């Protein structure tokens, strides 16, 4: 008798677990789980590439070619950032020229993670906080002047 009760109990538990994992049916819910999860794809504003001269002393020793994309979360944010794209480009060019030369002269290298953080701060100052989710570096090349890409 004891084995029959344990067997039936295991059969019921196994059936509930199979329905839950296999079919996606939750046998213990009361039917109020009709909430849909809305996933919003981010929108990206691609910017024209920046060519930043890197100085060693008084001469241009290297060129940094950097391409950026600005990630926004909604259509309204995308339109707002698009309206301010020229101001963002000017502010990014100033920040790239100053900060990249500072890093290059002190470290001999450029830290892309710190550069992204700085560009995100600049974007927040220009368009306001919350409009720009991320500044994405899509391409980054450092080369000698006169050499092809």
């Amino acid at each position: 008798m004891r084995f029959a009760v344990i067997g039936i109990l295991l059969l019921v538990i196994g059936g509930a677990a199979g329905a839950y994992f296999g079919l996606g049916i939750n046998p213990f819910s009361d039917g109020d789980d009709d909430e849909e999860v809305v996933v919003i794809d981010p929108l990206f504003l691609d910017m024209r590439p920046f060519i930043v001269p890197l100085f060693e002393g008084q001469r241009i020793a290297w060129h940094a070619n950097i391409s950026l994309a600005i990630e926004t979360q909604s259509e309204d944010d995308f339109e707002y950032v698009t309206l301010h794209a020229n101001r963002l480009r000017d502010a990014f060019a100033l920040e790239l020229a100053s900060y990249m030369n500072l890093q290059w002269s002190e470290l001999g290298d450029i830290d892309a993670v710190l550069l992204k953080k700085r560009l995100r701060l600049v974007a927040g100052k220009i368009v306001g906080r919350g409009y720009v989710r991320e500044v994405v570096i899509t391409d980054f090349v450092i080369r000698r002047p006169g050499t092809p890409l």
Side-chain angles (χ1 to χ4, degrees):
M1 180 72 174
R2 198 180 272 169
F3 290 113
V5 170
I6 292 175
I8 291 172
L9 186 63
L10 287 176
L11 188 64
V12 169
I13 292 173
Y20 180 74
F21 291 111
L23 302 174
I25 301 170
N26 189 356
F28 305 112
S29 71
D30 54 355
D32 292 337
D33 296 337
D34 293 338
E35 298 177 18
E36 292 185 20
V37 176
V38 178
V39 177
I40 299 173
D41 292 332
L43 300 170
F44 292 93
L45 174 66
D46 291 324
M47 302 191 84
R48 290 178 292 140
F50 294 91
I51 299 174
V52 180
L54 300 175
F55 292 93
E56 285 182 359
Q58 294 294 323
R59 65 180 187 89
I60 297 174
W62 301 89
H63 281 158
N65 296 352
I66 184 166
S67 297
L68 302 174
I70 299 173
E71 179 183 350
T72 60
Q73 193 63 31
S74 69
E75 291 277 341
D76 295 335
D77 292 350
F78 182 78
E79 290 176 16
Y80 185 77
V81 169
T82 304
L83 289 174
H84 293 86
N86 289 334
R87 289 184 61 209
L88 279 171
R89 183 163 176 80
D90 290 343
F92 284 168
L94 181 65
E95 186 67 25
L96 287 170
S98 61
Y99 191 68
M100 287 176 70
N101 275 297
L102 178 67
Q103 278 192 338
W104 189 260
S105 66
E106 289 183 357
L107 304 175
D109 197 11
I110 294 173
D111 188 359
V113 175
L114 286 176
L115 187 61
K116 281 177 61 170
K117 287 181 183 178
R118 295 282 296 234
L119 292 174
R120 194 171 46 231
L121 287 173
V122 168
K125 288 179 183 177
I126 298 297
V127 296
R129 298 183 98 191
Y131 288 102
V132 175
R133 183 171 180 207
E134 185 67 53
V135 176
V136 181
I137 298 175
T138 57
D139 188 28
F140 186 64
V141 177
I142 298 176
R143 62 179 178 87
R144 288 267 186 204
T147 57
L149 288 175

